[in-house]
Amino acid sequence: MNDLTVDRRTFVALLGASAVFPGALHARSAPSVPEHEGAISLAGEWRFALDPADVGSADYWFNKVMPSDLSIRLPGILQTQGFGNEIEADTQFVAALPRDMRWYLLPQYEPYTRPGNVKVPYLSQPIRHYLGVAWYQRDIEVPAEWAGKRVMLHLERTRWRTDAWIGNRPVGSDRSLVAPHEFDLGIMEPGTHRLTLRIDNSMQEPVYRPDGHGVTDGTGTTWNGVVGRIELSATAPVWLDDVQVFPDLAARLARVQIRIGNVTGATGSGTVNAGGVSVPVSWTAEGGEATIEVPMRNPRPWSEFDPHLHTLAVTLDSPAGQDRRDVTFGMREITTDGHRILLNGEVLDMRGTHDAGAFPLTGYPATDLETWQRIIAICQEWGLNGMRFHSWCPPEAAFIAADRMGFYLQPECAMWNNFDAGGRMLAVLHDETARLIRAYGNHPSFILMGSGNEPAGQFHAQLPGWDERWKAADPRRLYTDGTGRHARAPGGPGTPFAADFLVVGSTVRGPRGWFGEDYEEELQELLGGVAQPVISHETGQWCAYPDLGLIDKFSGQSDYAAFPHGIDTGDVPYMVPGNYEIMRDFAAAHGLLDLNRQFAHASGRFQLACYKEELEANLRTPSHSGFQMLDLHDYLGQGGALMGLLDAFWEPKGYVDAPEWREFCSATVPLVRLKDRTFTSDRMLEASAELYHHGPRPLRSVRPRWRIMDTAGKTVQSGDLPARAAPRGKAIPLGTISADLSRLPAPAAYELVVELAGTAFRNRWRFWVYPPAEEVPQPAGVVTTADWAEARAALAAGGRVLFLSGNPAEANPDLAMTTVPIFWNRLMNPSRAWMLGLLNDAAHPALAGFPTQDHCDWQWVDLIGATTAMNVEALPPDLRPIVQPIDDWNRSLRTALLFEARVGPGRLIASAFDLTEQGTAGFAGGPALRRSVLDYMASDRFSPALALNEGTLATWIDRRHVAPATVITPPDTGDVIDPGQVRT
């Protein structure tokens, strides 16, 4: 068919009036993209059209010259250049978590369903949404010096399926979410040619689960476009098609496996050379293979402590010409020994974070080295040595940065899928695995590989075969067949699993390992006597209230710690913080917006305390091979999981810095097994100390010592533990700490510090000491009652009343306090925790005898487990409780555990705590809190500023244990594992 040229009007008519926005037609040029040596970059303006009805192939759009005034910049994506559909209440996002996405049916979200104000509570929505086909076209120039050479088209990262034409000649179709799309354009005549791409970002067959991070709107990954390197390159007609380097440390050599490509149609022979070693090679019309063993005179091993890299120049000389490839690799080997992972024969313990592939400013993952260097440097600053890419694979820049910086990576095949009985999904998994390893297999940082996240369906039967196939094909890394949900051992219970290592969730994480315990018993039960490495899956997930100042960061106008290029090639940022704006509106509507920074800080400190316990429990577990946190930074989808110590832009939230975090999360960490955190002063503090040490080498001699410090930083007791050598490993005993608490003033807060003298390695644990339990007499003139009628009468008579709010006859989980904060998020887990810690008025005289900071800590957790918060929405918004639970950001309900007010001539304290003698018995700090509150009430200082009338209180009494429903309970599917599963 002859080439056709059509004018713009005709072409737009053919498109069916695709969504085209004039503002995108005159945008700035794209920044330059670095080229590979000898390559021709195709970055710049491309002719463009949307094809929502997918009629372009049948109508031969590839054989038409698209109008030049309808253009788009590549690298780039269409959504941030003004194309696609505006977000509506019923936009069909690619997401299924939370399991019921009918948010627009809930009354609290009605204002956000209106045109022009659509804001989605479950995710940070894209600026525009488009699923379907888009066409990209430009003219290319093949230089004269490429005459007789084979030409390749490289698209570094696109999604999901790409078809390509040169003129009207189809040159292939490529489909992958994990690797570049590449097209062999054949031997082309020098001169001008028309290149057309058809890119389809809609769900492909077999259908993926819509929450996999390579496909979901939950992390903003449904963009359409091409990013990274877009370039043409040329090779001889016989060329180096693939070069993979297999290090052999014992033999001090690098084994180079070469695949030769051939488009000449003829057999031939030549020579391949690698590192100065040459061998003859021959090929058929289909190509050939060769292996070269290259001696390494200095086989310096690669690791996190010494990321030394080697480069081999590999050349192929043939009658058709020479082809060369420079391959960078590291001399490293990874194996297992029982429950241990060994890197170069040394034990490796993973301290990793999860990454979901969310890039809020661009939508697409960074393809530049600087961004990934910044992200990895941040992770290392926070004591981590690795990253797991949950159901996605990053571009090559991530691997290069990790290679250079000594950082371990676990990419996955963009799957969180159901495996069908017919094996269609399994076939896609094998194909994607081959692509991923071909593209990134030489990178030494690529030490672990997962098939994907939490598989379902026939995975028990199918995925052990995936393990065995790829372990045999490429043993340069360890394989796991399902991160978070592994296939059963093929030989039955008590026999080895097919996976090299397991990544296990709820059974070997969570609060049962806290306070000096560990997960060893659960781990051994899980393994059934098999010695196999286990890494903890999605460790943490403890949430904190958002600092809503984050909204401004979505503008793309900040100086970002991790994102030096801001919105990159887009006209606007990709993600819109509509979900955060809803949170802000809810806080304002409930009179809490002015407390936002205080809530964020106080909840963050409680989150930090939970993370500390969780990670230390992992470090204490002898058979654990580490953890993969969820997450060092916040997650913007699946209802919004604000469980990071950093925000979604990889920036600190202000309540903890990296040095404090590294005290319990780094290569060397002193630990204790200390069960209690609240004591009476007639007790001894007894704790065993141990060391986690996975530094670069054993420590010849360490001198452990301990101190108890008061809140002024003064050491009040101390002691030395025996000096000893410290090998690399876990559970290295340091000795027993014994402290006589009767020598300490009480009530008071203290810190137990364990440190290695002469080093920076130290760790600390807060604890509280109270006087021995004794009867606390009821002060004269103070009435303590749980009967509101009695309280009302006493107030009317000018009395001082401690009203005990108690618990409702029927438990209300929407107000019941919990001992841990929200796990993952409450929209995913509506039946679980709603609270995010406490905001305390630490200077209030009612708490003078109960030492506290402004946040929840373990002395409060002792008391709140069986407590129901009081809903104070019926009371004036200027009521500021003495102790205030911090509610889920999706609700922002005003609640209280302790507040005061004037009521007529009387004075009132309302308490959700049972502050009777019986109610405080059994808790070390209970009597102290009771005494502190009663002493205050009996004093002249008891003079509440806020006045409440009896009618307002009467309304409140009836409503104090009632909370509005805020979510639609998701249906139970029984198919996939809920990421929110945890057992406490």
Side-chain angles (χ1 to χ4, degrees), residues 341-358:
I341 295 174
L342 303 181
L343 183 71
N344 308 326
E346 298 287 340
V347 178
L348 182 152
D349 201 70
M350 190 76 167
R351 300 184 309 279
T353 186
H354 154 291
D355 184 79

Side-chain angles (χ1 to χ4, degrees), residues 40-48 62 64-68 70-75 135-142 153 155 165-167 192-197 230-232:
I40 297 173
S41 173
L42 301 182
E45 297 289 326
W46 288 59
R47 301 184 290 274
F48 170 75
F62 54 84
K64 301 175 174 71
V65 177
M66 295 181 180
S68 60
L70 193 60
S71 65
I72 194 168
R73 295 180 306 281
L74 296 181
W135 293 74
Y136 304 82
Q137 188 184 85
R138 64 162 291 163
D139 295 328
I140 61 173
E141 290 290 329
V142 176
L153 170 65
L155 310 177
W165 291 262
I166 294 294
T192 303
H193 301 264
R194 187 179 66 250
L195 169 63
T196 305
L197 305 177
I230 308 171
E231 61 190 27
L232 299 174

Side-chain angles (χ1 to χ4, degrees), residues 640-790:
L642 309 183
M643 73 294 148
L645 289 307
L646 310 180
D647 63 30
F649 297 85
W650 293 95
E651 296 177 348
K653 296 180 179 179
Y655 49 79
V656 58
D657 58 19
E660 181 181 4
W661 177 266
R662 286 198 306 272
E663 289 186 351
F664 60 87
C665 179
S666 66
T668 304
V669 178
L671 298 165
V672 296
R673 292 182 180 266
L674 177 65
K675 181 178 180 180
D676 295 329
R677 302 303 161 85
T678 56
F679 298 85
T680 51
S681 58
D682 55 355
R683 291 181 57 191
M684 297 288 290
L685 183 152
E686 303 275 356
S688 59
E690 61 189 62
L691 185 66
Y692 166 95
H693 177 56
H694 284 272
R697 60 188 63 86
L699 302 175
R700 283 190 190 176
S701 178
V702 297
R703 293 183 293 114
R705 64 187 182 193
W706 62 270
R707 292 183 288 152
I708 293 177
M709 301 173 62
D710 63 19
T711 54
K714 178 183 176 182
T715 298
V716 294
Q717 285 193 47
S718 63
D720 293 320
L721 299 174
R724 60 157 298 164
R728 297 182 76 254
K730 288 186 167 188
I732 302 164
L734 296 179
T736 300
I737 298 165
S738 182
D740 183 358
L741 300 182
S742 67
R743 297 165 51 191
L744 302 182
Y750 298 94
E751 280 187 344
L752 171 64
V753 178
V754 177
E755 56 196 352
L756 303 185
T759 76
F761 303 126
R762 60 180 291 176
N763 200 357
R764 67 188 78 196
W765 299 266
R766 288 181 65 83
F767 68 96
W768 294 260
V769 180
Y770 302 98
E774 59 182 21
E775 183 176 349
V776 180
Q778 183 76 18
V782 176
V783 174
T784 300
T785 180
D787 183 333
W788 180 245
E790 181 183 358

Side-chain angles (χ1 to χ4, degrees), residues 726-952:
R728 297 182 76 254
K730 288 186 167 188
I732 302 164
L734 296 179
T736 300
I737 298 165
S738 182
D740 183 358
L741 300 182
S742 67
R743 297 165 51 191
L744 302 182
Y750 298 94
E751 280 187 344
L752 171 64
V753 178
V754 177
E755 56 196 352
L756 303 185
T759 76
F761 303 126
R762 60 180 291 176
N763 200 357
R764 67 188 78 196
W765 299 266
R766 288 181 65 83
F767 68 96
W768 294 260
V769 180
Y770 302 98
E774 59 182 21
E775 183 176 349
V776 180
Q778 183 76 18
V782 176
V783 174
T784 300
T785 180
D787 183 333
W788 180 245
E790 181 183 358
R792 185 174 60 231
L795 290 168
R800 304 180 181 203
V801 175
L802 173 59
F803 174 65
L804 304 179
S805 176
N807 292 315
E810 184 175 341
N812 183 350
D814 290 325
L815 287 172
M817 296 293 291
T818 52
T819 57
V820 293
I822 292 172
F823 181 89
W824 191 235
N825 67 74
R826 197 158 191 260
L827 294 184
M828 281 276 293
N829 301 308
S831 63
R832 298 189 187 150
W834 55 268
M835 77 99 174
L836 293 160
L838 305 174
L839 178 62
N840 306 316
D841 185 351
H844 196 286
L847 301 179
F850 189 77
T852 185
Q853 294 177 301
D854 68 350
H855 58 271
C856 184
D857 214 329
W858 303 123
Q859 87 278 31
W860 288 108
V861 169
D862 266 3
L863 302 173
I864 63 178
T867 303
T868 300
M870 301 175 287
N871 181 346
V872 294
E873 290 284 328
L875 301 180
D878 53 348
L879 171 71
R880 288 291 184 253
I882 302 167
V883 181
Q884 178 172 6
I886 301 171
D887 192 26
D888 173 25
W889 57 83
N890 294 294
R891 186 174 68 171
S892 285
L893 199 67
R894 286 193 301 123
T895 59
L897 294 181
L898 197 70
F899 73 85
E900 65 177 351
R902 287 183 290 110
V903 184
R907 283 166 278 183
L908 168 72
I909 282 187
S911 173
F913 301 107
D914 182 353
L915 294 181
T916 62
E917 292 276 4
Q918 298 80 8
T920 57
F923 301 103
L929 180 61
R930 169 179 159 82
R931 177 183 290 277
S932 185
V933 171
L934 290 176
D935 284 353
Y936 166 65
M937 294 183 70
S939 73
D940 293 339
R941 294 174 298 172
F942 184 27
S943 180
L946 179 70
L948 298 175
N949 63 56
E950 184 180 332
T952 299

Side-chain angles (χ1 to χ4, degrees), residues 317-330:
D317 290 293
S318 75
Q322 185 182 79
D323 193 30
R324 171 176 171 149
R325 186 178 296 194
D326 292 333
V327 181
T328 299
F329 66 101

